[in-house]
Amino acid sequence: MAGLHVSPEASSSEKPSIPHISDATVMMDDLRFTLANRSRIHAVESSFGPAGKSLFVPGRVLVGEGRLTKLCRRRPQPKVFFLFNDILVYGSIVVPGRWNNNQKIIRLVEVHQEDLLDGVGMTNQWLLRTPRKSFHVSAASSEEKQAWMQHIEQCRVQQLQNLGVPAKGPSMDDFAAIWIPDNASAVCMRCTDRFHVTNRRHHCRHCGFVVCGSCSKSRAVLRHISSKPVRVCWVCKASMQEDADKQQKQSWKCNSMEDTPEYETSSDEEEDDDNHVSNHWFSTEAEGLATYCYLNPSHTKPPLSLRRAGQGTCRLNPAHTSTTVLTLPTSVHCVHSPGGTFQRL
């Protein structure tokens, strides 16, 4: 279990069939492979006990298994890994080769690998990124590391082809942040308060920083991690709130433009276009006249000069460049004064 053990049936199934082999022989080989593959999958299920999930699915093949070192929150720990053609399963080792627990299942279509240089206490390491969790793993040798990375990538690409999904480059926003180990910082990475018995270490799920409880009181929903609110630091919370406000303003602008109605001319309006009389506006720029004329409601009789003319009219000062006559009811009149304002009669 120290290295990567590839199932011989899994590797031979990828080879092209030989033409001179009879169909009966091929069917027998397929049957033996199916039975052996089912037996191995059952053994993996049994190693996790009743707490483990069922792993047998039609078409699923156990490709290989082995032991890798996973960089956990407190220290590197050995883990057992099982590579299938569509998933990657790992867990904690209780009894080597017989009993495991804390089963974790990762879909290969969600996995992104990054090669890394050797670190302190972690040689032959690389990074596994997933939407829910990202972590470092290391192998016993460089050859074993390359074998794991190649088999994982081959199975991932094959699975994407089977699903008809293009193998596009992933976005880093789609993956969970890498947690910084607890022993990497003795103080909060936000407020620099020292950790002690009552001031415990916590991790922000958005940035992966080691923070104290006071700096990580906020909660936010990270869709790629969980549908429930998870712990985030105050810096990430403020940044997420700012991004949300920008998106909301942008959506308001888009919705306001989309909701603006486009009016169409009705058939009645089109028929009246020929008979429509254009509006005449009174120009008050040169004269500086007020835009409103207050009519005194107490007037009941027109002036004597207008009464003789027999017209209920209001005449503007002839000194103005344009003379406009406003027709008013005979009982209400106003006269424009030379000062440029309307006077009450």
Side-chain angles (χ1 to χ4, degrees), residues 100-255:
N100 310 307
N101 63 2
N102 297 329
Q103 183 191 65
K104 305 294 182 182
I105 301 176
I106 303 175
R107 298 174 60 217
L108 289 182
V109 294
E110 298 176 346
V111 173
H112 176 67
Q113 299 183 105
E114 294 182 16
D115 195 0
L116 301 175
L117 299 176
D118 294 346
V120 178
M122 292 282 289
T123 58
N124 305 311
Q125 66 172 340
W126 74 99
L127 178 62
L128 287 176
R129 289 186 180 270
T130 68
R132 297 181 62 86
K133 196 170 187 179
S134 301
F135 51 90
H136 296 80
V137 290
S138 66
S141 64
S142 176
E143 294 77 10
E144 184 181 343
K145 167 188 171 180
Q146 296 300 325
W148 271 104
M149 294 186 68
Q150 291 176 5
H151 281 86
I152 291 176
E153 184 63 19
Q154 289 175 2
C155 294
R156 187 187 74 89
V157 173
Q158 185 63 42
Q159 184 66 14
L160 290 174
Q161 293 177 356
N162 296 338
L163 297 175
V165 178
K168 61 180 180 179
S171 173
M172 293 298 104
D173 296 337
D174 300 333
F175 298 116
I178 306 169
W179 284 20
I180 297 177
D182 288 355
N183 57 6
S185 179
V187 298
C188 174
M189 302 181 73
R190 292 304 184 192
C191 67
T192 68
D193 284 350
R194 182 170 290 276
F195 294 117
H196 47 77
V197 177
T198 58
N199 190 24
R200 299 175 55 197
R201 290 175 172 86
H202 300 278
H203 279 84
C204 173
R205 271 56 172 178
H206 189 260
C207 65
F209 280 17
V210 183
V211 293
C212 64
S214 300
C215 293
S216 59
K217 292 181 179 180
S218 302
R219 299 293 185 271
V221 176
L222 304 179
R223 297 296 181 186
H224 58 282
I225 295 179
S226 174
S227 59
K228 298 180 180 180
V230 295
R231 182 187 297 270
V232 294
C233 65
W234 63 270
V235 176
C236 293
K237 181 65 175 180
S239 176
M240 296 168 63
Q241 185 63 43
E242 183 179 357
D243 294 341
D245 293 342
K246 290 181 179 179
Q247 294 179 359
Q248 189 174 20
K249 291 180 180 179
Q250 187 66 24
S251 63
W252 285 348
K253 291 180 180 179
C254 296
N255 292 336

